[in-house]
């Protein structure tokens, strides 16, 4: 919504501007052409005693404009008014070119505010990793392997995204039994093949485990 100020050359106008700027750094929340327009309408820096908010705002805009136009102003007169700086005379040219950077580099505060606005516009994206249910056969070296310790060795493997489930012993023959065990994995975090090759069939687990086979692999 557009903001309208009374004659800013009067006490009433400056008082209204000061009240409007209470708690604000700039007219529109951050430095824009609105500030340039209002700045051009003020004859000079408002009194810090009478209009502290307007005075602080005037100094901030002056500093920004000074860094954008480093040349020394000679002063001009418009419509019988007191001389105004060359900065104010350039206001119309700024309105015709939306891409013109009047204010130099953004401050850190302005950059954070811009980033926050962009983040608010971006749709929230929640990536959910898929899960899989796996059934494995884990075979011992022989009939003398302690199957209880074999299972303890298997379940001691802890990885992010790995959950061991139910298990049972299944007879293979010649007095040998294998461990059949369920596990649930987060696909992006756990590779069953890698776990078999680099964890279950190497020390210390290979003291009990001779080999591992994937019996079933189903997406959940």
């Amino acid at each position: 919504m557009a903001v309208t100020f009374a004659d800013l050359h009067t006490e009433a106008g400056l008082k209204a501007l000061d009240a409007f700027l209470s708690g604000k750094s700039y007219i529109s929340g951050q430095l824009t052409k609105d500030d340039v327009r209002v700045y051009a309408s003020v004859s000079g820096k408002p009194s810090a005693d009478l209009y502290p908010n307007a005075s602080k705002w005037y100094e901030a805009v002056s500093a920004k404009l000074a860094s954008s136009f480093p040349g020394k102003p000679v002063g001009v007169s418009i419509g019988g008014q007191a001389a105004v700086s060359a900065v104010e005379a350039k206001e119309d040219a700024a309105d015709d070119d939306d891409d013109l950077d009047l204010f130099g580099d953004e401050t850190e505060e302005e950059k954070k505010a811009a980033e926050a606005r962009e983040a608010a516009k971006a749709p929230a994206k929640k990536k959910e990793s898929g899960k899989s249910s796996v059934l494995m056969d884990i075979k011992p070296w022989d009939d003398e392997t302690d199957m209880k310790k074999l299972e303890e060795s298997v379940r001691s493997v802890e990885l992010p995204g790995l959950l061991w489930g139910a298990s049972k012993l299944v007879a293979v023959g010649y007095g040998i039994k294998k461990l059949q065990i369920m596990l649930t994995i987060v696909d992006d975090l756990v590779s069953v093949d890698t776990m078999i090759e680099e964890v279950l069939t190497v020390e210390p687990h290979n003291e009990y485990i001779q080999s591992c086979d994937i019996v079933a692999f189903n997406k959940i």
Side-chain angles (χ1 to χ4, degrees), residues 60-113:
V61 177
S62 295
K64 280 291 185 178
L65 294 177
S67 64
S68 298
F69 302 102
K72 183 178 180 181
V74 297
V76 296
S77 295
I78 299 176
Q81 294 180 358
V84 295
S85 70
V87 172
E88 297 163 359
K90 292 186 178 182
E91 180 193 357
D92 291 338
D95 286 338
D96 295 334
D97 185 1
D98 290 336
D99 295 328
L100 178 62
D101 183 5
L102 289 174
F103 313 118
D105 294 335
E106 289 182 311
T107 65
E108 192 64 28
E109 181 180 343
E110 290 166 349
K111 287 180 180 178
K112 289 181 179 179

Side-chain angles (χ1 to χ4, degrees), residues 71-210:
K72 183 178 180 181
V74 297
V76 296
S77 295
I78 299 176
Q81 294 180 358
V84 295
S85 70
V87 172
E88 297 163 359
K90 292 186 178 182
E91 180 193 357
D92 291 338
D95 286 338
D96 295 334
D97 185 1
D98 290 336
D99 295 328
L100 178 62
D101 183 5
L102 289 174
F103 313 118
D105 294 335
E106 289 182 311
T107 65
E108 192 64 28
E109 181 180 343
E110 290 166 349
K111 287 180 180 178
K112 289 181 179 179
E115 290 172 0
R117 289 195 299 273
E118 290 302 318
K121 293 178 183 177
K125 295 181 180 179
K126 183 179 180 181
K127 182 179 179 182
E128 295 185 359
S129 299
K131 293 183 179 181
S132 298
S133 176
V134 184
L135 178 63
M136 288 178 56
D137 277 350
I138 301 179
K139 299 175 184 176
W141 288 102
D142 51 40
D143 60 345
E144 295 183 357
T145 300
D146 188 327
M147 296 303 292
K148 183 177 180 180
K149 289 185 177 180
L150 181 146
E151 182 171 355
E152 289 176 352
S153 179
V154 171
R155 292 186 181 276
S156 70
V157 175
E158 296 181 354
L159 298 171
L162 169 65
L163 178 64
W164 295 106
S167 65
K168 65 179 180 179
L169 296 178
V170 179
V172 176
Y174 302 99
I176 300 175
K177 294 182 179 180
K178 64 181 178 181
L179 175 69
Q180 196 166 75
I181 189 168
M182 295 289 299
L183 57 145
T184 301
I185 62 168
V186 175
D187 298 333
D188 290 346
L189 300 178
V190 181
S191 166
V192 179
D193 290 331
T194 299
M195 181 176 67
I196 291 173
E197 294 174 5
E198 299 181 3
V199 181
L200 290 173
T201 55
V202 298
E203 294 183 351
H205 306 289
N206 63 356
E207 179 181 352
Y208 307 104
I209 300 171
Q210 187 267 333

